[in-house]
Amino acid sequence: MSKETPSTPSDLTTIGFTPFLYNADQAFFNVRAGIHAWAAHYLTVMGKALIDDVIQALIPRPARTKTESEAEMPESL
């Protein structure tokens, strides 16, 4: 049995072996065979963007300080 290298990354698919989300020693889910790997990459990047956005909302922004040139300017013009 020989394995051929896919011609393009979009031809890569999952083998359907890896379990995930365990309760004690029993997996709730398994990866299904034949799913394009590009879908996993896309979902991972989308999940990261969501988490990054939530983190930005949770972390307070530091107070803005005046620059040296702004400090020299009078308050009212």
Side-chain angles (χ1 to χ4, degrees):
M1 182 175 186
S2 65
K3 291 186 178 183
E4 294 181 22
T5 304
S7 58
T8 63
S10 63
D11 293 337
L12 294 172
T13 60
T14 57
I15 60 173
F17 179 73
T18 308
F20 63 98
L21 194 59
Y22 286 89
N23 181 22
D25 63 345
Q26 188 168 11
F28 284 124
F29 301 101
N30 288 327
V31 174
R32 298 204 50 182
I35 304 297
H36 283 299
W38 183 251
H41 172 74
Y42 175 78
L43 292 171
T44 301
V45 172
M46 184 175 65
K48 183 184 180 310
L50 289 169
I51 295 300
D52 289 348
D53 200 61
V54 168
I55 289 171
Q56 290 297 319
L58 294 175
I59 297 175
R61 293 182 179 176
R64 183 176 180 274
T65 58
K66 291 184 177 183
T67 63
E68 201 173 300
S69 60
E70 289 176 326
E72 295 171 0
M73 293 175 55
E75 290 295 322
S76 60
L77 295 174

